[in-house]
Amino acid sequence: QTKEPQATGWYAIGADWAKEKDKTVIVVARVDETPWRIVYLRAVNRKPYPEMAAMFNTVINKYQAVSAHDGTGIGNVVNDLIDERAHKFVMVGRARTKLLVQYITAVEQSPLR
């Protein structure tokens, strides 16, 4: 269930791009409360990339969220279509390892629920 943004809330948005087999996933978390709460989640596939990028851009603006997306593979192409405020994260090498370690730590410390 989507939660409307609150004026005092701090939000973070992320996206992982796919098209045919897997789904593109766009998720927004409210990060100024503990535990963090997922306030928006959308998974779609078989849509044109410009349409999925527009979904991402709409959510960035709606929640005024800090944002990042998977810039690996097709994400590098999609990067040209999304809001310039979004950080492109390329999941390879040391950056990928660091992200996974931070994710595991976050799950173990339970800020994500």
Side-chain angles (χ1 to χ4, degrees), residues 50-77:
E51 186 176 332
M52 291 187 291
M55 292 174 196
F56 184 74
N57 292 338
T58 298
V59 175
I60 290 173
N61 289 319
K62 178 177 181 176
Y63 288 90
Q64 290 300 301
V66 295
S67 54
H69 71 99
D70 178 8
T72 311
I74 198 64
N76 191 43
V77 175

Side-chain angles (χ1 to χ4, degrees), residues 21-61:
K21 182 180 173 187
D22 296 325
K23 292 187 177 189
T24 288
V25 177
I26 301 170
V27 62
V28 179
R30 183 164 180 179
V31 298
D32 62 319
E33 298 178 336
T34 303
W36 293 0
R37 289 183 298 118
I38 303 300
V39 297
Y40 177 93
L41 178 65
R42 184 162 190 186
V44 298
N45 69 348
R46 301 175 195 250
K47 302 276 186 193
Y49 288 114
E51 186 176 332
M52 291 187 291
M55 292 174 196
F56 184 74
N57 292 338
T58 298
V59 175
I60 290 173
N61 289 319

